[in-house]
Each structure stands twice: as C-alpha cells, then as structure tokens.
Amino acid sequence: MQPVTPEIAESLSLKRPVGALVNTISPRSPAARSGLRTGDLIIEVDGQPIDDPNAFDYRFATKPLGGEARVAVMRGGREVKIGIPLEMAPETPREETVIKVRSPLLGARVASLSPALAEELRLDYSTEGVVVTDVENGSASQSFGFQRGDIVVSVNSARIATMEDLLRAISQPVRLWRLTIQRGGQEISAVFGG
C-alpha cells in the first residue's frame, strides 16, 4: 500500500487524497486470489472509510481470522466490492541462523523470507532474498551498518534467493565483498574489504 498524494488524487479525479493505493500484491495471497489488483484504490473496509494505509492496516489487524472482509475499491473510475478471506500468512521454515563465517554479515542472524516473517517485519514478500532478523552488538555486521529487516539480495554478483545461496556465497574467501540489500523499498549496494 502507498498513501494517496495530492498528485495521485488529481490523476484519479478524487476531490481529496484519501484511501490506500495497492502497489504490490503477493502471488497466491488471499488478496490476489480474491481479485484485488495493483492500482486499486481501497476506500472502505466493511463499510468503514479508509483514509490512508495506516487505517487499512488497523482495520485488517482488528478483524478475526477465518471470516471475510468486504473491501470497496476504486478501479477505472468505478467502485468495485471485493471479499478478501482473513487468513494467517503462511509460515515456511525460517532456517534462521547466525552468520559465523568471516564476511560483512558476521554476527547477523538471518532467515529465509516467508510470508509470515515478511508480515512480522512489515516487508514486501514479493522480494526474493534472505532477511536480517537481528544484529549482535559489537559484531562486524553491526559495524558495517546492517539492520533488522535488511534483505540480502546479492553477494558478489550472485543472486540470493535462499539461505543455501547466502551460505554458499559467503563461504568463498574474497578480498572485496559486493553486497546489495533492500531496505525500506530501496536497493543499496556497497563494497566492503575482506
């Protein structure tokens, strides 16, 4: 979700900037299965107006699992009602581990990104990678600035989709480490001495 700016409101012919604009939908999620689309503007949940993404999060967080939420969206200038099942985000094995190999990630606790973990850390699950869940005080990973929620997407040009990919990439002794992470929706690339 993203907030509706005055410019977006104008482009959608809204009188004022309200609602939560859908910018990403995870494949196979309840939202995707129910027909919600990227570009839909959520304006109501179960008859309650949605002013911004925070209001949407609150409305969904207070709903009991197992039912369905009736969501009103603006799509193509028309209001469309969609029923979204209220389900728990699926959990897959986290494969959580603390990195003990000499690398910029030394001392970071990392885990495979699952829908449940993405929800817990408020991350976009459609991103592929391994997520930092904790950083030990005084560790190399802390001194290099890694933070909880950073998603490691590449190490030395090798794409990181799974924990196995990450462990294989950091097990290679190198002089320079090139890492790309995603933080807050932005990709950050950095080079570290080995």
Side-chain angles (χ1 to χ4, degrees), residues 110-180:
V110 296
S112 299
L113 190 58
S114 69
L117 185 56
E119 185 175 289
E120 178 186 318
L121 297 174
R122 301 183 65 81
L123 299 172
D124 176 8
Y125 177 64
S126 65
T127 303
E128 211 174 51
V130 173
V131 66
V132 175
T133 59
D134 194 24
V135 178
E136 291 178 0
N137 284 333
S139 67
S141 57
Q142 184 185 44
S143 68
F144 285 125
F146 288 97
Q147 301 174 10
R148 176 178 164 88
D150 286 348
I151 301 171
V152 182
V153 293
S154 76
V155 174
N156 293 336
S157 301
R159 294 299 293 173
I160 305 299
T162 65
M163 183 69 73
E164 186 178 298
D165 295 339
L166 178 64
L167 295 176
R168 184 175 35 251
I170 64 173
S171 69
Q172 308 298 317
V174 295
R175 289 188 165 190
L176 287 178
W177 294 91
R178 291 176 181 81
L179 274 79
T180 301

Side-chain angles (χ1 to χ4, degrees), residues 5-185:
T5 64
E7 295 79 20
I8 293 171
E10 187 178 320
S11 74
L12 296 172
S13 302
L14 299 175
K15 293 180 179 151
R16 61 188 185 94
V18 295
L21 190 62
V22 178
N23 62 6
T24 306
I25 297 180
S26 296
R28 300 177 307 280
S29 68
R33 291 192 319 265
S34 66
L36 195 65
R37 299 180 191 164
T38 301
D40 282 349
L41 176 65
I42 298 175
I43 55 172
E44 207 175 85
V45 173
D46 288 336
Q48 299 293 315
I50 299 300
D51 291 328
D52 57 35
N54 291 332
F56 175 81
D57 288 346
Y58 174 77
R59 294 279 179 236
F60 256 75
T62 58
K63 298 246 168 251
L65 294 175
E68 182 178 88
R70 298 296 299 163
V71 176
V73 301
M74 292 299 295
R75 180 186 293 161
R78 293 189 349 224
E79 186 174 314
V80 177
K81 301 263 187 195
I82 298 172
I84 300 178
L86 300 168
E87 302 171 2
M88 247 172 117
E91 179 65 88
T92 55
R94 288 190 182 190
E95 300 175 324
E96 199 166 25
T97 189
V98 175
I99 301 297
K100 297 184 186 305
V101 176
R102 187 171 170 219
S103 72
L105 290 167
L106 180 65
R109 179 178 297 279
V110 296
S112 299
L113 190 58
S114 69
L117 185 56
E119 185 175 289
E120 178 186 318
L121 297 174
R122 301 183 65 81
L123 299 172
D124 176 8
Y125 177 64
S126 65
T127 303
E128 211 174 51
V130 173
V131 66
V132 175
T133 59
D134 194 24
V135 178
E136 291 178 0
N137 284 333
S139 67
S141 57
Q142 184 185 44
S143 68
F144 285 125
F146 288 97
Q147 301 174 10
R148 176 178 164 88
D150 286 348
I151 301 171
V152 182
V153 293
S154 76
V155 174
N156 293 336
S157 301
R159 294 299 293 173
I160 305 299
T162 65
M163 183 69 73
E164 186 178 298
D165 295 339
L166 178 64
L167 295 176
R168 184 175 35 251
I170 64 173
S171 69
Q172 308 298 317
V174 295
R175 289 188 165 190
L176 287 178
W177 294 91
R178 291 176 181 81
L179 274 79
T180 301
I181 63 165
Q182 189 176 87
R183 178 184 294 162

